[in-house]
Amino acid sequence: MFSTSPAFKENAHKAIADVGLQKALTRTKPHFQGRRAKAVEGLPEFERLRDIGRDIKNHTLANLDFYLETWAGNVERAGGQVHWCATADDARAAVLAICERVGAKTVTKGKSMISEELAINEHLEQHGITPVETDLGEYILQLRREPPSHIIAPAFHLNREDWEESFRRAHTDLAPDRVFRERRDILTEARAKLRARFLAADVGITGANFLIAETGSSVIVTNEGNGDLTQTLPRVHIVLASIEKMVPTLEDATNMLRLLARSATGQDFSVYTTFSTGVRREGDLDGPEEYHVILLDNGRSAMLGTEFQDMLRCIRCAACMNHCPVYGVVGGHAYGWVYPGPMGAVLTPTLIGVDQAGNLPNASTFCGKCESVCPVKIPLPKMMRHWREREFERHLTPSAVRTNLALWGFFARRPGLYRFATRIGAGVLGWLGRKRGRLSRLPFAGGWTAGRDLPTPEGKTFFARYASEQRRQRGAS
Amino acid sequence: MSSREAILGAIRRHLHRGALPEDQAAMLRARLAAHPRHLIPARSRLSRAGQIALFIANVEKEFGSVVRLPDTRAVPGAIADYLAQQNLPSEIVMAPHPALQAIPWAERPLLKRRAGRAEASDLVSLQHGFAAIAETGTLMLPAAPERPTTINLLADTALVLLQASRVVGAYEEAWDLLRAERRDPLTGGFMPRNVMLVTGPSRSADIEQTLELGAHGPRRLHILLLDDDEAARATPESAPQ
Amino acid sequence: MLQASPRVALFVTCLVDLHRPTVGFAAIRLLEQAGCQVEVPRAQTCCGQPAYNSGDREIARDLGRSILEAFGGYDYVVVPSGSCGGMLRHHLPTLFDDDPNLRARAEALAERTHELVSFLTDVMGLERVAGAASGSVTYHDSCSGLRELGVKAQPRRLLEGLGLTIKEMADPEVCCGFGGTFCVKYPEISTRMVADKTADITASGAETLLAGDLGCLLNMAGRLKREGSAVKVRHVAEVLAGMTGAVPPIGEAG
C-alpha cells in the first residue's frame, strides 16, 4: 500500500478540519472504550489472563521456528498447502498464481489487514481478477476506493449519509425512491448484493487471527459471518497470515480468545470464531477443495531479538487505537499506512522504514493509555521511544530539534550556568507577563500560542529564592 | 535455498541460535501433547443446573433465544410454533444428522423438511449442536458429513438442537469432548475441517458503530435445548447476571 | 520502614524551578509538616525527559549520572511531579543497561523516589494535612503519575480532608495533550486535545482545577485562559500547603 505517513502533520491538519470525521470519532468513547470497560469489569480474571496471554506469545516467539514447522506439517497432513513468503512480492505472486491456476474470475474476501499490507486487491485487478470485499465496512471502502481507517472497524470514519451516497452511486440498479433512512436498510441492501457475490466466487481469501501449531488450523473471528461464507462456499480457500499469528495449542488460542473480543469490541466473545483445518473431507457436503496458507514474513523475523520483538505479540484487537487520545483526534487515515494508532506507530516504521514513518512514533504524548489496555501488555510507549532513539542515531531527527536539544543539554549539564540562564529567562518572561500572568503571543512559541496562552513564570526561579531564603535564615540564626 | 528455509533461517538468526536442540524440541512436543490448560474463569464453575442457566442467560444476552424441551417428541411442535410466531414458512433444511432424523417428525406432517447442505434460497435451517459453552453462551459446531457448515450460515433463521448434557462450562471442556470423541478420516487427529464457535446471531456494527443483527449470516438464532440431563433440571445455585 | 525523621531530598523539577517556585516551597512545607528533614541538593537541573523522550540517550545519561551523584545519600527523593517522578522511578535505570554499577545505583535511587502527594500518604502515612479550605475543585490525573506511579485516590483524599468538594470530570484520566515536546512538535493535535480537556473541566462546574504536574497545568491553564474561562488553575501542593495566598493562580496576575 502507498504510504502518506511522511505527510502525517498535513494529514492531521485535514483530519481536524473534517467535520464528518470528527463526528465519527466522537463514537470512540461510548462504543469502544465504554464497552471494553464493561466487558473487562465482568471478568475478574482479566488482568491475569493478560499476563498469561503475554507469556504464551513470548513462549511462541522464542520457539517460532519450531512451531511454524509443526504447524506446517499439520496443515499438509490435512491436505492444505503452505506458501512460505519472505516478502510482500512473494505473497502477491503466490496468491495470483493460485487464482490464475484455478481460472478465478471473482474472489471474495474476508477482512484481512495483511491483505491491505500486500495491496492484494490492486494486484488482482491488474491481472483481470475481480476482488470483492465482503466485510460490510471493507465493502463500502472498496466502493469508495478508500483504505480502512481502523483495523477492526474499517469504515469507522464514515457516517450514515456517506453509506447512502456510496450505495446510490455504486448500485446503479437502485430505485430512486428507495429509502435508506435506517441502518437496517443499508445492511439489507449490502446483504443482498453480497450474497450473489459469495455464490459466484471461485476463490475466497480470508485473514487469520491465529494459527495453531497443534492442529494446523487457522482461526478467524468475525461478527458478520462474511468470513465464514468466504471460506466455505468457493472451491478454493486462501488464508493470508503472518508468522507471528502462531500459538501452540487450542488451550493457548482459547486464552487469547478470552482477551481478543473483550479488548476489541467489548463483546465477551465474537459471534463467529472459526477454526479451519485443511480441505473438505470425504463425505462432506460443503467446504473448499483446496486450502492454502500464504505465510508472510515481510520484515517480521527481523524484529525478533531486537527491542521491537514484543510488538510481535500483537493480536490486532485495536484497543490501543480505541483508547489513544491522538487517534481520537486525527483518526486512522492520518497515519498514512495500513496500521494506525499506537500499534501502527511501532509497527509501521519496521515495515516501511523509519525514514518514511518517523512522525508516527513521535506523535505520542506517552500517556501510556495504550499499554494499560493492551491485552498482551506490549510496552508501546517504550517502543515508540526506541524508534525516536533510532531516528536520533541516524540523524533523522529534524535539525531544529537537535539544535535545541544540544543547546538545552549544554546548560542542563552545567548546573551553575543553568541557574544563571534560567534566572534570566524566568525574569524576562515573568516581566513580560507581569500585567496578565500570561502571554498570548511569543516568538518561537507559535505552536503553543496558536491555541492557548502561555502562563508566565512567577519571576524569580526556585533556586534564586531558595538561596536568598537560606541566606536570610543563616543571617537570622 | 527455499523460502521456507530462508524464513526459518532468518528467525533462528535473529533469535541468535540454530535449530532447537533435540531436548528442547522434545519439551515443546511434550507441551503440545499435554496442551496444558491456563486459567479458567470462575464464572462457569457451577453446578450442572447453574451452567445451563448461565448458558441460557448468555445466549439471550447475545440476542439468541432458547426453548427448553423435555424430549425429542416435543421438537417438531416447538419448531412449528416458533416458525408460526415469526411468520416464517413451515419449511426447513436440516443437517443430515442421525439425531435429527430420529425425531418423530410425522407428528407434524405440515412441516416440510429437506436433509442436506443449505442453499442460498433456504430461509430456515436446523443444525445439530455438538456441544455448547456456558461461559459465553457459545455453540460448538464441528463440520462433518452429517453437520454441514452451510447450515450454520446461509438461512436467515438458524435453529439448533442441543442436548443439555452437552453444555459444558468452559471452552477447554468442549475441546476435550472433541478430542475424545472425534477421529478425522484424513489426518487421524481429532480436528475436523472446520469448527465454528457460534455466539448469537450474525451482526455488524460497521455502520456508525451501532449494532444491527443479520449481517451476512442468520438474523435469528434459536436453540432447542433438550433437557436430557437430570442434574441440570435442579434449581441453579444462583441466578447468573 | 517509616523512620522518625527521614532525610528527604527534594527534586524540584526544572519547570517548578523556572516557572512556579511556590510549588517547591509548598512541597518543603508539606514534607516538614509530615516530619521530614528536607534538603534541596544544589546540583540538580532536569530529570532528562526532554532528551530521553527525543531519543537522545547521551544527554539523558549525563543528566542521570549527575542525579545519581546529587541524590545518592538520602532516605527518600521526593518530586512534585508524576512525570519527573516516573522518569526517576522507572526510566532512569534503563539508561544504564550496559553498566551494572550505575544500573544498581539507579535502581536503588528509583526505589527511594516518590511523587510528593503519594509520598505523604503512602510512605509518611499522612491522613490529612493542616488547614482548611472551601469551594469546589476538579482533579486532572496526569498520565505518568496515574499510570506509572498509581497516583489517583491520594490527592483526592487529602483535598477532601481540607473540606473541599471534588467535582469530577467525565474523564479525568484522559491525557491533556501536553506530552512534553509533543505540544510543540504537534501543536495542532495538542491544542485539540487540550480543548477537549478544558471542555470537560468546564462541564465539571468546579471553581478550581488541580493536578500534580506543572507541564499539564501550564497547558490546561493556557487553554482555559485563552477561552476566557474563570476556572482557577493550581498545583495541588499549593492548596495542600495552604499557600494559595502566596501566588495568583497559574496564568493570572496578582
Side-chain angles (χ1 to χ4, degrees), chain A residues 13 22 359 413 419 452, chain C residues 44 62 186 188 192 219:
Chain A
H13 173 76
Q22 293 301 322
N359 260 306
R413 281 185 275 204
R419 296 273 168 272
R452 64 212 127 180
Chain C
Q44 56 172 307
D62 283 353
Y186 301 96
E188 237 185 316
R192 242 303 299 278
N219 184 38

Side-chain angles (χ1 to χ4, degrees), chain C residues 195-220:
Chain C
D196 289 351
K197 191 82 209 182
T198 52
D200 201 3
I201 294 165
T202 307
S204 78
E207 297 155 35
T208 302
L209 166 70
L210 301 177
D213 271 84
L214 198 50
C216 315
L217 286 162
L218 292 172
N219 184 38
M220 293 183 290

Side-chain angles (χ1 to χ4, degrees), chain A residues 82-129:
Chain A
V82 179
H83 305 259
W84 300 72
C85 298
T87 65
D89 279 337
D90 294 351
R92 280 188 286 264
V95 172
L96 183 64
I98 297 166
C99 293
E100 288 186 330
R101 180 175 52 75
V102 301
K105 292 191 182 59
T106 68
V107 171
T108 42
K109 292 185 64 216
K111 215 185 82 56
S112 153
M113 293 314 292
I114 302 290
S115 159
E116 301 292 335
E117 192 177 321
L118 298 175
I120 205 79
N121 289 2
E122 291 78 350
H123 192 66
L124 291 174
E125 281 170 351
Q126 280 161 17
H127 292 83
I129 298 167

Side-chain angles (χ1 to χ4, degrees), chain B residues 102-152:
Chain B
I103 292 169
W105 295 107
E107 291 176 20
R108 289 282 178 156
L110 292 181
L111 185 63
K112 279 205 273 178
R113 288 166 293 116
R114 190 185 86 244
R117 55 163 281 169
E119 303 296 339
S121 52
D122 289 314
L123 292 178
V124 184
S125 64
L126 175 62
Q127 182 59 289
H128 175 262
F130 174 81
I133 297 124
E135 184 176 342
T136 46
T138 300
L139 294 161
M140 178 181 268
L141 305 173
E146 67 276 14
R147 197 182 293 105
T149 307
T150 41
I151 292 279
N152 307 335

Side-chain angles (χ1 to χ4, degrees), chain A residues 242-411:
Chain A
S242 48
I243 55 173
E244 83 281 14
K245 301 289 175 188
M246 185 61 58
V247 291
T249 66
L250 286 167
E251 280 72 8
D252 295 320
T254 298
N255 190 86
M256 307 318 285
L257 288 166
R258 284 194 176 103
L259 293 165
L260 177 59
R262 289 183 174 93
S263 300
T265 54
Q267 290 168 283
D268 285 351
F269 216 60
S270 297
V271 177
Y272 301 109
T273 301
T274 302
F275 300 69
S276 297
T277 315
V279 297
R280 180 190 288 215
R281 307 295 198 261
E282 208 182 322
D284 276 356
L285 301 179
D286 47 28
E289 289 157 29
E290 293 184 25
Y291 174 82
H292 300 268
V293 185
I294 308 297
L295 184 71
L296 180 71
D297 182 343
N298 203 26
R300 287 162 175 83
S301 61
M303 293 164 73
L304 291 166
T306 71
E307 63 266 57
F308 301 110
Q309 173 167 330
D310 290 346
M311 189 61 216
L312 295 173
R313 294 205 296 263
C314 176
I315 58 171
R316 305 291 190 270
C317 70
C320 60
M321 63 196 73
N322 290 344
H323 291 77
C324 174
V326 175
Y327 180 96
V329 167
V330 302
H333 286 157
Y335 291 81
W337 200 60
V338 178
Y339 303 102
M343 58 78 70
V346 175
L347 194 57
T348 307
T350 66
L351 299 181
I352 67 170
V354 71
D355 50 332
Q356 284 283 304
N359 260 306
L360 275 43
N362 277 286
S364 162
T365 62
F366 287 157
C367 80
K369 186 70 190 178
C370 50
E371 182 176 355
S372 77
V373 295
C374 175
V376 286
K377 300 199 168 177
I378 300 172
L380 291 155
K382 183 176 124 186
M383 283 188 286
M384 287 186 233
R385 189 182 293 108
H386 285 319
W387 275 122
R388 299 182 191 184
E389 284 161 6
R390 291 234 181 149
E391 269 195 307
F392 196 85
E393 285 160 15
R394 289 177 53 192
H395 293 267
L396 293 168
T397 311
S399 61
V401 175
R402 293 183 80 91
T403 310
N404 287 339
L405 262 181
L407 190 67
W408 167 83
F410 176 82
F411 284 100

Side-chain angles (χ1 to χ4, degrees), chain C residues 2 6 10-11 23 56 63 66 68 70 95 102 139 142 147 150 157-158 180 193 195 205 207 233 243 254:
Chain C
L2 187 61
L10 182 69
F11 189 93
V23 174
D56 187 344
L63 292 174
S66 49
L68 293 181
L95 286 170
L102 285 175
Y139 193 88
S142 292
R147 282 181 271 272
R157 207 159 60 228
L158 293 183
M193 288 167 72
E207 297 155 35
V233 182
M243 289 174 65

